[in-house]
């Protein structure tokens, strides 16, 4: 028995050493590497399983699948990208700025698009349901959260009806975000002919502990012609029907034109990871007539070679000259984004950050108050939305550029979640976003430095303690 215990101790410490080497080679920061190495060598019994569950900086299985997918997707791209070339364009006054966004997206910016802001749940689901009703060939559906409540059941009925009509319907959900979704809900879809799959972040024995990675994207594509993305999931709280959240404030986006194919490509890649199946979809661009807007779609996630979401946000902030308005329900940005916001305020930009008054994730909410006092001292204005819970993810730069998508300003969205953002350098769209955000700020209160300074000591200590956990929140 003694020799068995000794062998287990030996194996555990060897695992700690091996894992410490992995942490040394893969950690994104020197501070993170030191923290992991010390913990893994000192307490391997606890630290090794924690590292392989929460500490892996890359979604390695997806990275490997992407290598396989690139070969397959390249064959598809060779057929559809040449058709897109007539619509690839960047505004002359912003060519350098756009080139950086295209580099992060690994997709071109296109013209011939129409982007429409959808404010709150009623407007969003009316638009979504109308699009689904008019599908002719296929419907792609991807959400982080789907519930079998009133709106969830209505959504299911729409998909079943279209599948029974012969429309190809593909339904992809995140198994962590939708963990409460019943097997009966999924069986009803499958029995009607809907192709259903979880994202399967822990697929395969080598990746079964990758539960810290989530697919936070919200994508609906109809016939490659219309697409939707933004903050809303499929659940009653997103329509303000859950009392504890009150009025739910959110923003979604409808796209038409060649940019929809970029949403489709992101779904295509996720579906390939989850199922191994190659979907036969339409890849011919369908530009809109009349007003033509430039749009770049930027997918991001833990399989990227760079921190795409954080870099995109920093890039937008550094480009601001007069106005930088940001809304995010979870505001615990990395130091790069914190510094970019501070610098923008110091150079005279009207920097406003809108966060909720009431939290739905307490740790993330408390973490923000660890660094807000310093940001306010440097001129960043912090507002808290009053009527209910704020969930929208919108960024407005001056009077010319807007970003709408799924990215929160926190470590999870920057490094652990698969996300997607529409980058729209268009003055008419920016004017619409300005009007929307101006109303939101009118329904908010500004946080004062005095308010934060007068908090009890225990709350200050709690904020600092929770902030230490921000990398895995």
């Amino acid at each position: 028995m003694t020799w068995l215990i000794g062998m287990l101790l030996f194996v555990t410490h060897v695992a700690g050493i091996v894992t410490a080497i992995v942490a040394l080679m893969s950690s994104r920061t020197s501070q993170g590497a030191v923290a992991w190495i010390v913990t893994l060598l000192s307490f391997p019994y606890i630290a090794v399983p924690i590292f392989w569950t929460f500490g892996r900086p890359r979604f390695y299985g997806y990275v490997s699948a992407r290598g396989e997918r690139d070969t397959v997707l390249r064959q598809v791209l060779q057929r559809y990208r040449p058709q897109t070339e007539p619509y690839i364009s960047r505004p002359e006054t912003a060519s350098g700025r756009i080139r950086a966004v295209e580099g992060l997206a690994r997709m071109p910016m296109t013209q011939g698009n129409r982007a429409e802001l959808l404010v709150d749940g009623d407007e969003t689901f009316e638009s979504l349901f109308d699009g689904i009703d008019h599908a002719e060939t296929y419907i792609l559906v991807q959400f982080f959260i789907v519930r079998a409540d009133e709106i969830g059941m209505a959504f299911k009925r729409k998909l079943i009806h279209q599948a029974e009509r012969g429309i190809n319907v593909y339904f992809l959900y995140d198994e962590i975000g939708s963990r409460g979704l019943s097997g009966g809900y999924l069986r009803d879809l499958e029995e009607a002919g809907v192709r259903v799959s979880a994202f399967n972040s822990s697929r395969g024995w080598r990746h079964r502990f990758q539960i810290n990675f989530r697919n936070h994207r919200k994508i609906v594509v109809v016939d490659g012609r219309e697409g939707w993305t933004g903050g809303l999931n499929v659940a009653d709280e997103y329509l303000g029907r859950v009392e504890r959240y009150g009025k739910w404030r959110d923003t979604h986006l409808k796209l038409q034109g060649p940019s929809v194919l970029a949403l489709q490509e992101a779904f295509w890649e996720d579906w390939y990871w989850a199922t191994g199946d190659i979907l036969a979809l339409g890849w011919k661009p369908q530009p809109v007539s009349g007003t033509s807007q430039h749009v770049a779609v930027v997918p991001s996630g833990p399989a990227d070679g760079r921190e795409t979401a954080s870099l995109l946000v920093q890039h937008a902030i550094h480009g601001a000259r007069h106005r930088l308005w940001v809304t995010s329900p979870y505001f615990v940005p990395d130091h790069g984004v914190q510094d970019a916001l501070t610098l923008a305020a110091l150079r005279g930009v009207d920097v406003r950050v809108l966060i909720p008054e009431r939290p739905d994730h307490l740790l993330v909410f408390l973490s923000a108050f660890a660094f807000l006092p310093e940001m306010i001292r440097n001129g960043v204005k912090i507002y808290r939305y009053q009527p209910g819970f704020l969930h929208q993810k919108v960024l407005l730069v001056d009077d010319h550029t807007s970003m709408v998508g799924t990215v929160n300003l926190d470590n999870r969205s920057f490094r652990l979640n698969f996300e997607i953002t529409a980058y729209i350098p268009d003055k008419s769209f920016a004017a619409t976003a300005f009007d929307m955000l101006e109303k939101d700020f009118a329904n908010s209160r500004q946080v004062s430095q005095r308010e934060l300074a007068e908090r009890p000591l225990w709350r200050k200590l709690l904020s600092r303690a929770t902030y230490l956990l921000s990398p895995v929140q």
Side-chain angles (χ1 to χ4, degrees), residues 16 19 48 133 145 170 205 289 317 341 346 423 425 430:
T19 306
V48 169
D133 286 342
I145 296 173
Y170 304 91
W205 70 271
S289 58
I317 296 170
L341 289 168
L346 290 174
Y423 181 96

Side-chain angles (χ1 to χ4, degrees), residues 122 143 231 258 305 324 335 340 356 452:
D122 289 334
F143 283 99
L324 191 288
H335 288 293
L452 298 181

Side-chain angles (χ1 to χ4, degrees), residues 91-293:
E92 292 183 6
T93 57
S95 60
R97 186 168 70 244
I98 301 307
R99 191 174 294 111
V101 174
E102 290 177 324
L104 291 171
R106 300 194 303 166
M107 296 182 184
M109 171 165 285
T110 59
Q111 58 184 340
N113 302 290
R114 180 181 294 122
E116 178 186 353
L117 271 181
L118 301 171
V119 180
D120 291 330
D122 289 334
E123 191 173 338
T124 296
F125 283 101
E126 181 181 353
S127 177
L128 272 174
F129 285 1
D130 182 67
I132 290 171
D133 286 342
H134 289 89
E136 298 175 356
T137 307
Y138 61 86
I139 302 168
L140 313 179
V141 174
Q142 178 176 6
F143 283 99
F144 178 61
I145 296 173
V146 180
R147 302 196 202 286
D149 51 20
E150 184 178 349
I151 191 63
M153 297 303 288
F155 192 72
K156 182 182 76 169
R157 288 193 293 271
K158 289 282 183 183
L159 299 182
I160 287 176
H161 176 71
Q162 292 298 71
E164 290 176 342
R165 287 185 55 236
I167 305 297
N168 293 315
V169 182
Y170 304 91
F171 182 89
L172 184 63
Y173 66 96
D174 184 89
E175 62 268 40
I176 302 297
S178 300
R179 59 188 175 276
L181 192 60
S182 68
Y185 187 103
L186 300 174
R187 281 194 302 274
D188 288 346
L189 290 171
E190 290 175 329
E191 289 173 1
V194 176
R195 294 282 305 280
V196 175
S197 177
F199 179 63
N200 290 325
S201 59
S202 56
R203 191 190 75 187
W205 70 271
R206 289 187 304 161
H207 316 299
R208 63 185 180 275
F209 299 118
Q210 290 189 151
I211 62 173
N212 203 33
F213 297 115
R214 316 277 166 76
N215 197 311
H216 193 241
R217 293 171 180 164
K218 296 95 176 167
I219 297 172
V220 174
V221 172
V222 172
D223 298 333
R225 180 185 69 251
E226 297 178 320
W228 291 261
T229 190
L232 285 94
N233 288 292
V234 182
D236 280 349
E237 60 260 38
Y238 292 85
L239 289 101
R241 296 173 180 171
V242 177
E243 185 176 351
R244 73 186 182 99
Y245 294 118
K247 176 179 170 56
W248 189 281
R249 177 67 191 90
D250 220 324
T251 299
H252 223 66
L253 178 72
K254 178 182 177 181
L255 291 175
Q256 295 171 280
S259 61
V260 175
L261 296 183
L263 287 178
Q264 180 168 288
E265 191 173 317
F267 179 95
W268 193 99
E269 183 175 6
D270 287 347
W271 185 268
Y272 182 70
W273 156 257
T275 68
D277 294 338
I278 304 166
L279 297 183
L281 304 173
W283 294 98
K284 183 178 180 180
Q286 301 180 54
V288 297
S289 58
T291 302
S292 174
Q293 295 173 315

